[in-house]
Structures are given as C-alpha cells and as structure tokens.
Amino acid sequence: MQELPDCLYEGKQPTLITPSSPTPNHSLYLSNLDDHHFLRFSIKYLYLFQKSPSSQTLKDSLSMILVDYYPLAGRIKVSDNSTKLEVDCNGEGAVFAEAFMDITCQEFLELSPKPNKSWRKLLFKVQAPSFLDTPPLVIQVTHLRCGGMILCTAINHCLCDGIGTSQFLHAWAHANTTKAPLLIQPSHSRHMLDPRDPPRVTHSHPGFTRTTVEKNSPTFNICKHLQSQPLAPITLTFTPSLILSLKKTCAPSLKCTTFEALAAHTWCSWARSLDLPLTMQVKLLFSVNMRKKLTPELPQGYYGNGFLLACAESKVQDLVNGNIYHAVKLVQDAKARITDAYVRSTIDLLEDKTVKTDVSCSLVISQWAKLGLEELDFGGGKPMYMGSLTSDIYCLFLPVAGNCDAIRVQVSLPEDVVKRLEYYMVKFLDAKEKEEDHSLAE
C-alpha cells in the first residue's frame, strides 16, 4: 500500500456554502438518541467517481439543497440547561474544499485499496477547538488527473444516522442533475422521540452501562486493549455465493437473513481471533433501524438518528465451537427485542447522562450495506468505489460498487489478530469454494 500524493489546493480554501434562499432561524431540539456521547463524531464517506461534474455545479446544487436540509448549514451548540445538544439553525453554511491530486481513478484503486493514514488528506481538516465547534457538514472534492473525482464528506452523527446521510446525499445528487422537486421531503422535528415525564425504564438494556462503575473493576476491557496497539485494517468481500454458503451452515433448522448470518459469523470469528478466556461474557452491538417499529412510525424523510444498537450476549466458549447457529439465534433474539416499548424505555434511560454505550467487551457492527450509498450519481455515473474514509475497531458492513448483493466487512485490529481473523472468517469455505473465489481478501 503506497502513500497517496499530496492534495493541491488553489486559491482561498475552503469556502462556506450557505443556503441559496432564506431558511428558518431557530434552535433544533436533538433527541436522546441523537445527542448521547457514543454518537459525538462525524460519519466520513469516501466516493470515487470516474467522471467529475464541475465544482461550480456541485456548489450551486449544495446551496440549493441546504435550503431543504438547513440544519446541516447550522452549528451544534450546548443547550441552555447544559445537559443536551441542539442545532443553532443560523445558516452559517457547510464547509466545501476543492483540491487536485496527481493520480488516476485506477491508480487510486491499485495503490490504496483500503483505508490508511494517507486517505486523511482527502478531507479538509477544519481547525476547531472541539468536535462541537466543527461545522456539521464538511465536504472535499478532489479532482484527479483522469477527469475523475474523489468526494469525501463528514456529516455530524448527532444530526443524521446512516439512512439520514444517504437521504441527504441522494437529495444533493438529485439537485445536481434535475430541477424537479425532491421525492422525499426531509422531516426535521425530533419531538416524536421525546422522553416521557417522568421517565420510565421498563426494560433491561445490556448494551449500556453507567460511568459510575468501579474503576478497579476486574473485567478485561477489550476495547481499550485493542486501541492501545497499532491497528491494521482488514477488508473481506463476501459475494452472494459465499453468503449463501454461510447461511447453509444454519440450514435447514434455522432460517436467517444475510445480515444475521454474517454478523454472527463475524462475531464468532472476532472472539476466536482475540483468543479470549472461554468463560468471558462478550457482547455484539449492532444497529437496527427502528423507524417502522414505533407507534406511530417515524415519518418518511426522518433523517435524524432512527436506530438503536441491539445487544446480543454470550460466553466466549459458546461462540468458538465452529458453529454459528447459537450466535445467529442470539442476533435474531436481540433484533426481536427492538419494539416500540423498548425504544421508549431506551429514550427514557438516556435521560440519565451517566449512561454510556458499553463497548468494553463488545464488537460493534454498523450496517452501511443496504442504505443505497453505492447508488449515488451526480450525473457522471455511479461510484467506482464507496466506503469509509477511516477504519476503526468498530466493524462496518459496506456496500460493493457494482454488486448490490455483495458485502464488504471492514474492521481494524492489531496485525497478528488480523491474520487470525481472516483465517477464521474464510475457514467455513470448502476447498472448492476457495479455488473458485480468490478475491475474498482485498
């Protein structure tokens, strides 16, 4: 993997893109699902397009779409009671940087096939004292020697979840290619997710913990252990045939979805590769869209955080026996627990600001593969590549450009663990399948 060339910026960079016409000036309430500490980061996408629209067209269409999505042109601030965040919808604008890199699309794919430190130069680094001071939307368009472009976006997770970011990006692309009105109007209000008064925590929530836990707790913190070491990204592509083979390991006694099978398999492989104590209790946290699980459902166009992290728990010894049946069942049970009552209980639980997402002994999986992110088209065709700008110990299920039924599993782990994880992730394949598919590891 080679270092990418530097980005060359011309003129005064970056610029602020403001809404093209006046927008409401008010404070937007953020729900407890929006502003809890686990989401205080930006979702960072990287797109590679073979053809680049003109920068002025992209700026003009962004300015137009920020009229509809005006909170993204605002700024995050702490509310008056100092316990919650809100959006100051002041129309200050989104950050837009433009650069040139002396490289072609094909060279990018060959030289730098997965996230690495040199990718960071593809997104303009805003100088801000803290995350809260960073504008909610930061964009860099990098033009390439071949006429293509790399588009990187950083969208504040407190404003949008994965579905919301996809909705916004498609709206921008729509505005870039047509004057027709948006098919889906954004729904801004978060008050459908208000806590009850008084709050009523009616369910157990194993995915959360309180920060008042004993500091000298004997529990081994996997998350901190991994983050204390140099990490290397691993990317494994599961084609439809490989996914079918994986699902067959549960058949015929247990029917499961692609996500359930792959999440269970990844969790089991992760536990085996880390060589954890057999009696240790570990968790799998994974995102579940709850928009249609509420009564009434969240409105179409709701782009705020409309997901919960479902939690499956198991002793390591039950995950490492080579059969994913047990883990699949746990994933299914965790999904089934996400009901209207469970969501309301979670919102009320998060009124207690000492409550945090429990990542200490957890694998976290975020599902990006079925959000339509890889379908984005600004007028020059769909992307040659779509993925995350960065890689972390949190696992992503990513789409594969040109193959909507394939899934790319991406996670960063210590070098020796990466080799073991790759081994366990592909071990279920028989020799014939291995011969047929040499492209599993990228």
Side-chain angles (χ1 to χ4, degrees):
M1 210 153 37
Q2 292 185 30
E3 177 88 7
L4 291 174
D6 286 338
C7 285
L8 304 174
Y9 297 94
E10 286 187 15
K12 190 179 178 184
Q13 295 286 352
T15 56
L16 283 176
I17 307 297
T18 56
S20 60
S21 59
T23 55
N25 189 335
H26 65 97
S27 292
L28 177 69
Y29 165 84
L30 294 176
S31 79
N32 285 351
L33 300 183
D34 290 319
D35 80 345
H36 70 98
H37 282 269
F38 190 64
L39 296 189
R40 295 192 181 183
F41 65 92
S42 291
I43 303 172
K44 295 177 180 176
Y45 296 135
L46 182 146
Y47 281 94
L48 176 68
F49 292 98
Q50 198 158 11
K51 292 182 181 176
S52 174
S54 77
S55 291
Q56 194 56 51
T57 306
L58 287 169
K59 289 178 184 177
D60 291 345
S61 58
L62 178 61
S63 181
M64 286 167 54
I65 208 61
L66 285 175
V67 175
D68 296 285
Y69 285 87
Y70 65 90
L72 286 170
R75 296 295 181 265
I76 301 281
K77 68 174 186 176
V78 179
S79 65
D80 291 338
N81 68 12
S82 76
T83 61
K84 284 191 68 61
L85 301 180
E86 59 188 23
V87 185
D88 181 8
C89 299
N90 56 19
E92 279 192 33
V95 174
F96 189 100
E98 193 178 352
F100 173 79
M101 183 176 278
D102 190 13
I103 197 172
T104 67
C105 291
Q106 203 54 45
E107 285 168 349
F108 175 80
L109 291 172
E110 290 168 3
L111 296 177
S112 197
K114 52 189 169 186
N116 60 77
K117 285 182 181 178
S118 73
W119 280 23
R120 294 177 190 174
K121 62 183 76 175
L122 293 163
L123 182 66
F124 188 88
K125 186 169 177 56
V126 176
Q127 298 303 318
S130 73
F131 168 68
L132 295 183
D133 297 299
T134 304
L137 177 59
V138 179
I139 294 164
Q140 178 168 320
V141 172
T142 304
H143 301 284
L144 308 181
R145 189 172 72 239
C146 60
M149 76 166 179
I150 295 173
L151 170 69
C152 287
T153 61
I155 305 174
N156 190 306
H157 208 330
C158 296
L159 265 75
C160 304
D161 62 6
I163 290 172
T165 58
S166 180
Q167 181 182 306
F168 164 72
L169 290 171
H170 278 279
W172 179 21
H174 177 86
N176 201 66
T177 54
T178 176
K179 301 294 183 192
L182 288 177
L183 298 174
I184 300 174
Q185 288 296 324
S187 174
H188 302 295
S189 175
R190 316 291 164 101
H191 285 295
M192 287 185 71
L193 300 178
D194 281 353
R196 293 170 289 200
D197 188 13
R200 299 195 305 278
V201 181
T202 54
H203 291 63
S204 63
H205 297 276
F208 293 97
T209 185
R210 283 183 171 79
T211 49
T212 51
V213 172
E214 297 278 327
K215 285 186 179 176
N216 297 322
S217 169
T219 306
F220 175 59
N221 190 316
I222 299 171
C223 179
K224 285 184 178 176
H225 173 68
L226 294 175
Q227 288 178 326
S228 69
Q229 303 172 66
L231 300 175
I234 178 173
T235 307
L236 299 168
T237 300
F238 283 77
T239 60
S241 63
L242 293 175
I243 291 167
L244 185 61
S245 299
L246 187 58
K247 287 164 115 175
K248 281 179 180 175
T249 64
C250 288
S253 56
L254 184 65
K255 289 185 177 179
C256 60
T257 65
T258 293
F259 176 83
E260 289 162 359
L262 194 52
H265 179 55
T266 304
W267 188 26
C268 292
S269 301
W270 173 84
R272 295 177 85 179
S273 65
L274 290 173
D275 198 20
L276 301 170
L278 293 178
T279 55
M280 185 176 181
Q281 192 84 357
V282 291
K283 299 176 183 179
L284 172 67
L285 305 179
F286 59 95
S287 51
V288 174
N289 178 17
M290 55 74 173
R291 285 165 170 76
K292 293 186 181 301
K293 295 181 184 291
L294 293 180
T295 307
E297 295 178 1
L298 289 179
Q300 187 185 33
Y302 185 85
Y303 63 93
N305 286 285
F307 79 97
L308 286 189
L309 285 176
C311 178
E313 292 183 277
S314 175
K315 284 188 176 177
V316 170
Q317 63 193 19
D318 296 321
L319 298 177
V320 299
N321 60 9
N323 189 332
I324 66 167
Y325 181 101
H326 168 74
V328 167
K329 198 80 179 63
L330 292 176
V331 170
Q332 291 177 337
D333 291 345
K335 279 173 69 177
R337 283 195 291 272
I338 309 294
T339 60
D340 178 82
Y342 187 90
V343 174
R344 300 293 173 192
S345 178
T346 305
I347 292 167
D348 290 356
L349 173 74
L350 291 173
E351 278 290 276
D352 179 351
K353 300 309 174 187
T354 68
V355 169
K356 300 284 185 287
T357 304
D358 183 14
V359 295
S360 61
C361 297
S362 306
L363 172 66
V364 181
I365 295 179
S366 186
Q367 166 74 304
W368 291 12
K370 300 297 177 185
L371 306 181
L373 290 164
E374 75 282 10
E375 299 293 314
L376 198 64
D377 187 346
F378 285 91
K382 293 177 183 178
M384 298 173 68
Y385 175 90
M386 182 278 148
S388 172
L389 181 67
T390 58
S391 183
D392 204 330
I393 62 168
Y394 304 126
C395 181
L396 296 175
F397 283 5
L398 297 164
V400 177
N403 189 345
C404 63
D405 293 320
I407 294 176
R408 222 162 70 244
V409 178
Q410 178 181 294
V411 67
S412 283
L413 292 165
E415 196 79 56
D416 59 326
V417 180
V418 162
K419 293 187 178 73
R420 293 200 297 272
L421 180 70
E422 184 174 344
Y423 172 76
Y424 290 125
M425 287 288 276
V426 304
K427 192 182 176 189
F428 76 96
L429 299 170
D430 61 31
K432 183 181 176 186
E433 284 168 322
K434 283 181 184 175
E435 287 170 16
E436 289 173 354
D437 198 306
H438 295 294
S439 63
L440 187 71
E442 294 178 355

